[in-house]
């Protein structure tokens, strides 16, 4: 079994994804459209990245690969499928929005303090993030 990934390594992976993937896409579409504040196309592409890349890359994103962590299904230990990633990103995102960010703060505390390091989006999707 792989060790659960804690808060700092997950945050590092998110930060790398932001710098390596999100920022260049946002800048590129800002230059192409002339609109650096409201970029629906780049937001859509970034949402697709967060959903599809872990499906096709066996639980990894660029940031997670660099940090040596990955998403997997909690019960079967398999890489996530499209349905799992939709639950993890879209449904959990709605929960975070509907709770005005309180759910997001609770997730941070859960990853930092729980022994299994699972956040709300992990419980919604039946996933965990592990090293390896």
């Amino acid at each position: 079994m792989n060790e659960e990934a804690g808060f700092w390594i997950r945050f590092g992976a998110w930060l790398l994804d932001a710098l390596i993937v999100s920022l260049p896409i946002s800048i590129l579409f800002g230059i192409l459209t002339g609109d650096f504040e409201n970029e629906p196309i780049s937001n859509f592409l970034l949402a697709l990245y967060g959903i599809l890349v872990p499906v096709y890359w066996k639980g990894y994103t660029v940031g997670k690969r660099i940090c040596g962590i990955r998403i997997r299904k909690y019960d079967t230990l398999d890489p996530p499928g499209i349905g799992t990633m939709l639950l993890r990103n879209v449904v959990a995102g709605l929960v975070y929005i509907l709770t005005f960010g309180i759910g997001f703060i609770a997730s941070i505390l859960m990853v930092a303090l729980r022994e299994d390091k699972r956040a709300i989006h992990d419980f919604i999707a039946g996933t965990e993030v592990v090293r390896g």
Side-chain angles (χ1 to χ4, degrees), residues 21-22 24-30 32-49:
V21 178
S22 300
I25 287 175
S26 295
I27 290 171
L28 177 65
F29 277 93
L32 292 175
T33 64
D35 184 2
F36 286 92
E37 294 179 21
N38 185 14
E39 305 170 22
I41 296 172
S42 66
N43 290 339
F44 177 73
L45 288 175
L46 293 172
L48 284 179
Y49 168 80

Side-chain angles (χ1 to χ4, degrees), residues 108-126:
I108 291 171
L109 292 172
M110 290 169 70
V111 172
L113 302 174
R114 287 180 57 91
E115 189 173 327
D116 65 4
K117 309 294 183 199
R118 294 175 73 202
I120 291 171
H121 53 268
D122 289 311
F123 282 98
I124 289 170

Side-chain angles (χ1 to χ4, degrees), residues 31-118:
I31 290 169
L32 292 175
T33 64
D35 184 2
F36 286 92
E37 294 179 21
N38 185 14
E39 305 170 22
I41 296 172
S42 66
N43 290 339
F44 177 73
L45 288 175
L46 293 172
L48 284 179
Y49 168 80
I51 293 168
L52 296 177
V53 170
V55 171
Y56 291 104
W57 212 10
K58 300 190 185 311
Y60 292 101
T61 62
V62 171
K64 283 180 175 58
R65 174 75 72 178
I66 293 168
C67 289
I69 62 175
R70 65 187 172 91
I71 303 164
R72 70 178 182 191
K73 292 183 181 178
Y74 185 74
D75 55 352
T76 64
L77 310 183
D78 292 329
I82 189 78
T84 300
M85 290 310 297
L86 284 169
L87 285 171
R88 185 177 166 88
N89 291 6
V90 177
V91 175
L94 289 173
V95 168
Y96 294 154
I97 289 168
L98 293 174
T99 61
F100 300 103
I102 294 169
F104 181 72
I105 293 167
S107 281
I108 291 171
L109 292 172
M110 290 169 70
V111 172
L113 302 174
R114 287 180 57 91
E115 189 173 327
D116 65 4
K117 309 294 183 199
R118 294 175 73 202

